[in-house]
Amino acid sequence: MSQRAEDLFHRASKVIAGGVNSFTRSQLAGWRPFPLFIRGGHGSRVQDSEGREFLDCIMGLGAVFPGHREPTILEAVTRHIEQVGSVFALPIEEEALAAETLVRLVPTLEQVRFCNTGTEAILFAVRLARKFTDRKKILTFEGMYHGFGDAVYFSKDRIVIPWNDTKSLDAAIDLHGTHLAAVLTEPIMCNRGYCASKPGYLNHLAERTRNNGSLLIFDEVITGFRAAIGGAQDLLGVQPDLTVLGKALGGGYPVACLGGSTNIMQLVTDDRVRMMGTFSANGIAVAAMIASLQLYETSDNFKRVFNLGSAVREQLKQEVKDLGMPATVDGIGSVFQIHFNCDSKVDNKKLFEKWWQGMLNRKILIHPDPNEVVFLSMAHIIDDVNYFIDCARETLKSL
Ligand code: PLP
C-alpha cells in the first residue's frame, strides 16, 4: 500500500471517525492496511490516489449500475442542476414521470414515495406496516441487512430467524402470529454473500405472511433492476405488499423508493403515516432516476450485462472445479460471489482475504468483506470478464 494513501488516511482519521464515512469503507470491514482513496472513475474503471487503474467490481456497492459517469445520466443531472436547480421544498414536474415508469416496470407498485437511501425507505416501510396492521413486531432473517434503522438493526421488536428454513418460518409465525406487522426480506439474499431462495420457499413465505394478516416487505435495494428490470418479484413471480428500491434506482445518485398498493399507500396519502424529507425527490435524484430508468429500458448494455454475469459465473465455477478448490460460485444477473467452503470459518475468512488481496494486486477491485457481493455494471464488457477470469485463475492457483 502506498505512502499517499497512508497520508490521506491519517489526515482523514484526525477529523473523521475511523477515517471514513461508512463502515463498509473501514479497516474493520477489511480495508487493510488502509482503504484505497479514489481519484475518479470512468465506465468500469476507477483510479486511486496513486494513479493506479482498477477494474471496478464494487461499483458503489451496486449503485453505479450504468457505469461511472455514464454520459446520458451525467448530461441529465448536470442539465438539471444548471437549468433548474437542486431542491425547492415543492414538487417538480418530473417526479410523476419517474413514478409512472416505476409503476409500469415493477409489478406490485401502484403508488410510490421517494426518499434518499435504502435505510430511510425501509424505515418508512416498517412504520407503514405497523400502522396498517396495528401490530408491532417485524420478522427478519439472519445476516440480512436492511439499513441501519433501529427497527431493523437493534430493536426488541425484531425477530430474527434463519433464511430459507420453512420450519423456522412456520414456528415464528405460529409463535408471534397476531403481533407480526411484517415479514421483511430480500427476495434473493444478496448481502450476506449470495443465496437464492429454495424452490417454493418464497411462495410459502408469502402465503403464510398473508394468511397471518402481516405485510410482506421485499427489500429490493440490491435485486431491483439487477435481478430483472421489474426486480426479483417479477423474475420469481412472488408478490410483496410493499417494495423498497434503492442503489441502482438512481444509477449512482442517492435516491430510494417505497411503494405498494394504493390501498396501503393511502395511509401516507392521508398522513396516518408521515413521510417527509428536505431532500426527498430532489431534482438531482429525479433527473438521475429518469435517465437511469430510460437507460435500463432501452440500452443493449442492460441486456448484455445479464449475459456477462452468466459468463463470469460459469467460467469462475469452471476454474474452481478445475483447481479442485473448496468453493462455490453463485449469483444472479450482474451480481455474484465466491464462497469458500473449508471445514472452519476461520479458514474461509483467511482464504477470502487472500483472494481479495490477490485480485487487488492484479488491479481488480472487489470488496474485502465476503458478505458483500461482486457487482458488474452496464459499462463492463466481455474483455473485462475475460480479464477478471484470468486474474481469478492466477489468484486461485496462488491460494
Ligand atoms: N437493503 C439492502 C438489501 C442493502 O444492501 C442496503 C445497503 O447496502 C440497504 C437496504 C440500505 O441502503 P442504504 O445504504 O442506501 O441506506
Side-chain angles (χ1 to χ4, degrees):
M1 193 51 72
S2 67
Q3 188 58 47
R4 184 159 166 76
E6 185 172 352
D7 292 348
L8 289 168
F9 185 68
H10 284 313
R11 177 183 170 190
S13 298
K14 287 191 183 136
V15 284
I16 297 172
V20 292
N21 280 297
S22 177
F23 170 78
T24 55
R25 302 167 205 171
S26 69
Q27 289 170 313
L28 292 173
W31 290 105
R32 292 192 198 93
F34 320 104
L36 265 66
F37 281 71
I38 298 300
R39 197 178 271 173
H42 192 244
S44 62
R45 308 287 156 147
V46 287
Q47 233 186 44
D48 75 352
S49 51
E50 277 15 83
R52 296 177 303 181
E53 191 174 271
F54 293 83
L55 176 65
D56 187 4
C57 295
I58 299 180
M59 298 310 297
L61 286 175
V64 196
F65 192 23
H68 297 292
R69 287 192 276 153
E70 197 288 327
T72 60
I73 298 177
L74 198 57
E75 206 260 329
V77 169
T78 46
R79 185 167 19 92
H80 196 92
I81 295 169
E82 282 171 5
Q83 296 181 9
V84 183
S86 63
V87 68
F88 302 101
L90 278 170
I92 54 172
E93 294 180 16
E94 295 87 342
E95 288 167 43
L97 173 59
E100 283 158 6
T101 311
L102 278 177
V103 164
R104 177 162 49 76
L105 291 177
V106 183
T108 58
L109 296 185
E110 290 176 5
Q111 285 197 325
V112 298
R113 268 281 179 105
F114 295 123
C115 52
N116 300 290
T117 64
T119 296
E120 252 183 280
I122 291 282
L123 182 155
F124 288 129
V126 167
R127 187 176 291 172
L128 186 50
R130 284 182 168 157
K131 192 75 180 177
F132 190 82
T133 57
D134 198 20
R135 299 173 178 182
K136 193 106 181 112
K137 291 193 186 294
I138 307 292
L139 185 64
T140 61
F141 297 89
E142 269 171 20
M144 279 197 192
Y145 175 68
H146 302 290
F148 55 85
D150 282 355
V152 292
Y153 208 65
F154 290 124
S155 166
K156 64 176 171 32
D157 290 316
R158 174 190 180 213
I159 301 146
V160 187
I161 60 168
W163 158 249
N164 252 342
D165 179 349
T166 308
K167 273 193 188 150
S168 303
L169 176 79
D170 289 343
I173 292 186
D174 290 343
L175 181 66
H176 299 285
T178 53
H179 298 287
L180 267 189
V183 176
L184 167 61
T185 186
E186 286 191 279
I188 301 169
M189 197 176 195
C190 289
N191 61 17
R192 183 78 183 269
Y194 176 90
C195 182
S197 59
K198 287 184 181 155
Y201 179 68
L202 277 186
N203 283 315
H204 180 75
L205 182 142
E207 196 182 310
R208 288 277 350 232
T209 305
R210 209 147 285 144
N211 290 343
N212 192 53
S214 314
L215 295 192
L216 178 58
I217 307 172
F218 270 3
D219 178 344
E220 297 233 40
V221 167
I222 294 182
T223 53
F225 315 102
R226 283 190 174 270
I229 196 159
Q233 59 188 265
D234 199 14
L235 185 75
L236 304 171
V238 182
Q239 302 204 319
D241 299 296
L242 290 172
T243 299
V244 168
L245 295 160
K247 293 201 191 256
L249 175 61
Y253 293 84
V255 62
C257 145
L258 161 67
S261 67
T262 307
N263 183 30
I264 300 176
M265 296 301 283
Q266 181 61 33
L267 271 65
V268 180
T269 302
D270 64 24
D271 198 36
R272 275 177 285 168
V273 173
R274 185 162 291 187
M275 217 181 145
M276 53 192 173
T278 304
F279 289 105
S280 294
N282 68 76
I284 298 165
V286 173
M289 191 163 39
I290 292 172
S292 301
L293 293 173
Q294 250 163 26
L295 204 65
Y296 302 159
E297 284 201 278
T298 57
S299 167
D300 287 343
N301 290 351
F302 182 80
K303 294 178 204 125
R304 210 200 44 197
V305 74
F306 286 80
N307 298 334
L308 292 185
S310 303
V312 79
R313 281 190 292 278
E314 286 320 307
Q315 290 179 49
L316 196 53
K317 271 182 200 166
Q318 194 58 49
E319 297 298 336
V320 161
K321 194 172 161 207
D322 291 350
L323 291 165
M325 297 288 302
T328 48
V329 178
D330 296 302
I332 191 155
S334 48
V335 173
F336 63 98
Q337 187 55 293
I338 183 165
H339 299 284
F340 293 105
N341 308 318
C342 305
D343 291 337
S344 84
K345 278 189 183 169
V346 177
D347 288 347
N348 289 338
K349 194 162 172 271
K350 274 192 199 146
L351 267 190
F352 194 88
E353 254 172 54
K354 282 190 179 168
W355 155 256
W356 168 72
Q357 189 65 62
M359 293 298 270
L360 193 69
N361 294 346
R362 292 173 175 88
K363 305 289 187 297
I364 300 223
L365 195 58
I366 55 178
H367 200 282
D369 182 348
N371 291 328
E372 299 289 351
V373 284
V374 182
F375 290 103
L376 299 181
S377 77
M378 290 164 60
H380 285 73
I381 57 172
I382 191 68
D383 288 352
D384 295 329
V385 165
N386 293 338
Y387 181 63
F388 186 99
I389 292 297
D390 288 344
C391 295
R393 185 182 309 117
E394 285 177 26
T395 304
L396 289 170
K397 274 187 192 160
S398 73
L399 295 183

